[in-house]
Amino acid sequence: MRAGRVFAYGAAAGLLGDQLLGDPRRGHPVAAFGRAAGAVERVLWRDHRGWGTLHTAVCVGGAVALGAVAEKAVRPSRTASVALTAAATWAVVGGSSLAREARGIGRALRAGDVEGARERLPHLCGRDPQALDADGMARAVVESVAENTSDAVVGALVWGAVGGVPGLLGFRAVNTLDAMVGHRSARYRRYGWASARLDDVAGWPGARLTAALATVAGGDPRGAARAWRADAAKHPSPNAGPVEASFAGALGVRLGGTLSYGGRVEHRPVLNTRGRAVAVPDIERAVRLSRRVGLLALGVTAAARLLVKGRTS
């Protein structure tokens, strides 16, 4: 079986597994990677970019090497190759968890349980829930759904199409390290620099594909394209900007504005100024758009892998 078909069948099975099974409560492979990365950090940490770069190289390189060894070991068996790709895809994508957490907050808000929604919000994003009312939490959820559609689904599929199992594991390693050490705290400003920059590079193609597919799959293609073109560059993140702007235009809402992280207030530009304020029902609309984007991304990446491998075989 050609490598293109292995990825197409395996990625489709992995996404189906994510939808049917979700993430395990215990023993998730990404959590195991996080513990290993934390152990490496305890050995290597210095307030220095060089040591942080070494940490990134060890952790990401280890994940890619593990994927390469596993892929080579099962290569003689078509069935095992597809099964390995499916398992790796299931392990690294998080679309089911993203939808579950977003909908849980949405249900609490619809029931008027604002405190319950505040308790759940940290499972989805790093905002300060006490600083948000119901509509503010709804906006935070929609923004998180948009950004994580790229980080948790589309980006992984892109790198899986490019690099097979090593690409899948490597992308999730980069994304996880960025969440662990890539933020601008006193401890990680220098040590996490390499992880943050590598995450920007690795996330670039997936973010643009996510924005393009949201434009196609949303209810207002012209509005999504206009918001992407006009507002994406205003966002401080080079990858979150296109994704959030296109989602805002597709849903007809405004995103961005004043945010609060860990007691630190940020005033970000508004994305899609022609849109209305986010309301609680927009959470479900964002989740549905995220699902459509994920399915389209599977089709695009599988077709691209098949086309490239067909031409080179």
Side-chain angles (χ1 to χ4, degrees):
M1 184 183 294
R2 293 175 177 174
R5 292 185 180 180
V6 167
F7 172 74
Y9 297 158
L15 280 186
L16 180 61
D18 177 59
Q19 294 301 314
L20 295 178
L21 303 175
D23 293 332
R25 296 296 182 183
R26 296 180 179 178
H28 196 289
V30 175
F33 171 83
R35 289 191 294 271
V40 174
E41 179 189 344
R42 286 191 291 274
V43 174
L44 295 181
W45 189 89
R46 307 287 190 282
D47 191 17
H48 191 277
R49 283 186 178 184
W51 287 96
T53 301
L54 179 60
H55 176 232
T56 302
V58 168
C59 295
V60 176
V64 171
L66 177 63
V69 169
E71 193 172 67
K72 184 177 180 180
V74 302
R75 191 167 293 157
S77 170
R78 297 174 180 178
T79 302
S81 295
V82 172
L84 176 65
T85 302
T89 302
W90 166 81
V92 304
V93 300
S96 179
S97 295
L98 174 64
R100 182 181 66 246
E101 293 298 334
R103 283 173 166 157
I105 296 169
R107 284 193 298 271
L109 291 175
R110 287 196 300 275
D113 184 8
V114 176
E115 287 305 316
R118 286 187 175 127
E119 289 180 5
R120 297 195 66 154
L121 187 64
H123 296 288
L124 187 65
C125 63
R127 307 285 175 84
D128 293 333
Q130 298 303 321
L132 299 172
D133 59 10
D135 288 344
M137 281 188 280
R139 191 189 78 189
V141 171
V142 171
E143 290 172 352
S144 295
V145 167
E147 185 173 0
N148 283 294
T149 299
S150 176
D151 289 343
V153 181
V154 181
L157 292 174
V158 167
W159 284 102
V162 171
V165 172
L168 287 164
L169 300 188
F171 176 79
R172 179 52 59 218
V174 170
N175 197 247
T176 304
L177 279 183
D178 180 61
M180 293 177 67
V181 304
H183 44 88
R184 293 186 176 183
S185 65
R187 177 178 175 85
Y188 295 124
R189 183 168 287 107
R190 282 181 282 271
Y191 188 81
W193 174 85
S195 292
R197 298 292 76 74
L198 184 58
D199 184 69
D200 287 342
V201 173
W204 196 95
R208 274 71 192 168
L209 179 59
T210 302
L213 295 178
T215 299
V216 173
D220 186 0
R222 288 186 178 180
R226 180 176 59 246
W228 180 8
R229 183 175 59 252
D231 299 331
K234 300 175 183 177
H235 198 286
S237 167
N239 294 329
V243 173
E244 291 186 20
S246 63
F247 262 69
L251 297 171
V253 300
R254 297 191 304 271
L255 298 179
T258 301
L259 314 174
S260 178
Y261 288 96
R264 185 183 74 254
V265 176
E266 295 184 16
H267 301 283
R268 293 183 179 177
V270 174
L271 307 178
N272 191 37
T273 55
R274 299 188 184 188
R276 57 175 173 77
V278 176
V280 173
D282 293 314
I283 293 176
E284 180 62 27
R285 296 177 62 225
V287 170
R288 291 179 180 178
L289 177 57
S290 175
R291 286 278 176 84
R292 292 195 297 271
V293 168
L295 290 174
L296 287 173
L298 172 63
V300 169
T301 55
R305 176 84 170 184
L306 286 166
L307 180 62
V308 171
K309 288 300 178 180
R311 288 182 175 179
T312 58
S313 60

